[in-house]
């Protein structure tokens, strides 16, 4: 492992962005979705989550998306928190928050203001009587919220980052309770799992029982899933705690007990996901109308399914993603840009393929491949342009030389 670089977790970041693009690419083809697309102007505006619905369906995509719904976002918040302590120690709280604004806050504003309407215009056209952009804009402005799409993750990340900065400012040199908890789990991954699951359950189960596991709400562009804000905060703080302790000194170190037993963690993740899926199916199609015992059981098993899924992802990365590869390096470097950009390409490709004579697997494969390639290339181009502008301004690269740099 290179100094200052955690290769397995860097590679995991690359794998995660592949899964994110794949997740959004297959949504129109879920067998469980409605037969007809959702009307743009009718509450509860289900098109925000499922912008395009195709006549071609495959149940395998339902299983894939369900598994990712259980663990993927939790993993993303965990990874986001993991490297925060290093940044805080290097920059200090004030500079760190300023950096978060430029790196997350401003892109959130731009993505929500420009990219979200551009992406959802494709969804509007599916059911629109007048498909013009002028008509779309009129309908868009009449909505009771401003749909943000996948960018909801960013504003919550800003809030969690501000909390981490406050914790650091309050005790910049003390290890804290979270770090001590991680140290106590150093050789005991089951203890780590138990603590993570217990804290997640405290944050998730009461909210899921009150609001249901699926419901979202929003204030303007600030959307969140009612059952999960505290659950995601637990994962962010778990990553923060591991990072404070030091990844290579924690239970998640390379060659540690989690990495050595990756098969066990994968089997546990599959078993817990199956248990969650079976219990959740007893609450469908109407959560509120299902028996209280079924709802409580489904809510209670979610935290353990999420925790085993996240640890399995990390264990597999620690075991199998230990070497650098040029493609993975590039993908990891462009992961954030791909996250910001891919949804526009995904929705318009899905819209373009509505009439194509392909099965669900063929359509999803085309959407995934093309959206990944386009967003990856766009991100790389933007990063190169920004880098050249920055270097010119700071005199690191003469303008004449910069004009001849490869793009």
């Amino acid at each position: 492992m290179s100094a200052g670089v955690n290769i397995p977790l860097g590679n995991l970041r690359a794998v995660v962005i592949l899964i994110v693009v794949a997740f959004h690419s297959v949504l129109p083809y879920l067998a469980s979705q409605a037969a007809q697309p959702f009307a743009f102007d009718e509450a509860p505006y289900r098109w925000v989550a499922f912008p395009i619905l195709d006549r071609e369906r495959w149940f395998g995509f339902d299983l894939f998306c369900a598994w990712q719904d259980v663990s993927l976002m939790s993993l993303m918040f965990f990874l986001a928190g993991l490297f925060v302590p290093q940044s805080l120690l290097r920059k200090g709280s004030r500079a760190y928050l300023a950096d978060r604004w430029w790196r997350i806050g401003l892109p959130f504003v731009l993505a929500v203001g420009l990219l979200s309407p551009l992406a959802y215009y494709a969804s509007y056209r599916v059911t629109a009587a007048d498909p013009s952009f002028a008509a779309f804009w009129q309908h868009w402005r009449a909505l009771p919220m401003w749909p943000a799409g996948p960018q909801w993750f960013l504003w919550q990340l800003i809030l969690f980052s501000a909390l981490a900065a406050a914790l650091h400012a309050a005790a910049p040199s003390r290890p804290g309770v979270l770090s001590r908890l991680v140290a106590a789990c150093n050789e005991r991954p089951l203890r780590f799992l138990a603590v993570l699951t217990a804290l997640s359950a405290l944050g998730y189960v009461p909210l899921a029982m009150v609001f249901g596991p699926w419901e979202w709400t929003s204030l303007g562009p600030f959307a969140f899933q009612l059952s999960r804000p505290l659950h995601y905060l637990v994962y962010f703080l778990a990553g923060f705690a591991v990072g404070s302790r030091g990844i290579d000194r924690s239970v998640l170190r390379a060659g540690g007990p989690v990495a050595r037993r990756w098969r066990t963690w994968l089997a546990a993740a599959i078993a817990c996901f199956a248990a969650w899926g079976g219990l959740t199916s007893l609450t469908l199609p109407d959560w509120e109308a299902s028996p209280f015992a079924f709802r409580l059981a489904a809510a209670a098993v979610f935290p353990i399914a999420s925790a085993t899924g996240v640890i399995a992802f990390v264990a597999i990365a620690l075991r199998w993603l230990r070497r650098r590869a040029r493609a993975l390096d590039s993908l990891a470097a462009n992961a954030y840009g791909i996250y910001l950009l891919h949804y526009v390409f995904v929705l318009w490709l899905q819209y373009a393929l509505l009439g194509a004579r392909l099965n669900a697997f063929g359509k999803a494969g085309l959407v995934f491949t093309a959206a990944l390639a386009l967003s990856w290339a766009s991100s790389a181009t933007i990063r190169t342009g920004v880098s050249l502008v920055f270097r010119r301004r700071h005199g690191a690269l003469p303008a004449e030389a910069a004009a001849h740099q490869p793009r």
Side-chain angles (χ1 to χ4, degrees):
M1 201 170 297
S2 305
V5 177
N6 190 296
I7 294 172
L9 296 182
N11 288 336
L12 179 57
R13 187 184 180 201
V15 172
V16 165
I17 198 60
L18 291 176
I19 297 173
V20 168
V21 178
F23 180 91
H24 290 135
S25 296
V26 305
L27 288 179
Y29 317 110
L30 301 185
S32 59
Q33 282 307 305
Q36 300 298 324
F38 301 108
F40 195 80
D41 297 313
E42 294 181 7
Y45 308 103
R46 296 296 186 194
W47 55 267
V48 173
F50 301 97
I52 307 290
L53 291 180
D54 199 288
R55 67 177 183 275
E56 299 295 333
R57 309 291 176 90
W58 183 50
F59 183 67
F61 291 145
D62 294 69
L63 296 177
F64 169 75
C65 288
W67 194 348
Q68 304 317 319
D69 182 64
V70 167
S71 57
L72 181 63
M73 292 311 305
S74 302
L75 175 63
M76 290 178 65
F77 278 108
F78 178 82
L79 293 175
L82 201 58
F83 299 101
V84 168
Q86 296 178 12
S87 295
L88 285 169
L89 287 173
R90 188 171 64 252
K91 301 174 183 178
S93 296
R94 183 174 297 182
Y96 169 77
L97 286 176
D99 177 74
R100 293 295 86 184
W101 160 250
W102 288 109
R103 181 164 173 77
I104 302 177
L106 184 59
F108 171 76
V109 172
L110 295 175
V112 168
L114 299 176
L115 298 180
S116 291
L118 180 59
Y120 281 118
Y121 180 33
S123 178
Y124 166 81
R125 288 177 62 93
V126 175
T127 59
D130 180 356
S132 68
F133 187 82
F136 160 72
W137 190 245
Q138 182 178 1
H139 285 269
W140 179 267
R141 294 291 303 275
L143 293 171
M145 72 293 192
W146 187 286
Q151 316 310 337
W152 67 266
F153 170 74
L154 299 180
W155 79 264
Q156 292 190 39
L157 186 56
I158 293 173
L159 288 183
F160 296 167
S161 298
L163 175 60
L167 291 173
H168 177 77
S173 60
R174 294 202 301 266
V177 175
L178 295 176
S179 183
R180 288 195 293 271
L181 276 174
V182 173
C185 302
N186 199 36
E187 297 295 335
R188 300 181 178 181
L190 289 180
R191 179 182 290 181
F192 181 78
L193 173 68
V195 172
L196 185 60
T197 301
L199 294 175
S200 168
L202 287 174
Y204 174 80
V205 174
L207 293 178
M209 294 303 294
V210 172
F211 298 111
W214 318 116
E215 294 303 313
W216 287 73
T217 191
S218 61
L219 179 62
F222 305 107
F224 63 95
Q225 198 167 356
L226 288 167
S227 62
R228 297 193 188 180
L230 296 179
H231 169 80
Y232 291 144
L233 177 59
V234 166
Y235 275 84
F236 179 85
L237 291 177
F240 181 82
V242 171
S244 297
R245 171 69 178 171
I247 300 169
D248 293 332
R249 298 171 57 211
S250 75
V251 69
L252 301 181
R253 64 189 180 276
V258 169
R260 291 196 304 268
R261 296 178 175 85
W262 67 271
R263 293 184 184 87
T264 302
W265 288 109
L266 178 58
I270 293 171
C272 292
F273 168 72
W276 172 83
L279 290 169
T280 299
S281 68
L282 300 177
T283 69
L284 301 176
D286 188 344
W287 171 270
E288 293 297 333
S290 61
F292 176 84
F294 291 173
R295 285 181 281 144
L296 181 60
V301 80
F302 175 85
I304 184 64
S306 183
T308 52
V310 168
I311 296 175
F313 268 118
V314 174
I316 292 169
L318 292 173
R319 176 61 181 85
W320 293 106
L321 300 178
R322 295 179 294 180
R323 296 184 179 180
R324 299 190 68 162
R326 182 174 298 179
L328 287 176
D329 284 348
S330 175
L331 191 56
N334 287 285
Y336 184 40
I338 294 170
Y339 186 84
L340 291 170
L341 297 168
H342 78 279
Y343 207 53
V344 176
F345 296 116
V346 164
L347 295 197
W348 280 100
L349 286 163
Q350 291 167 346
Y351 176 77
L353 290 174
L354 282 174
R357 295 183 178 179
L358 291 170
N359 60 26
F361 198 83
K363 289 185 175 184
L366 278 176
V367 171
F368 170 74
T369 303
L372 177 64
L374 290 168
S375 56
W376 192 346
S378 299
S379 174
T381 301
I382 293 170
R383 289 179 69 247
T384 300
V386 170
S387 176
L388 289 175
V389 169
F390 180 83
R391 293 166 70 185
R392 284 177 179 174
R393 283 190 174 183
H394 290 76
L397 185 67
E400 296 79 10
H404 298 287
Q405 291 298 305
R407 286 166 170 73

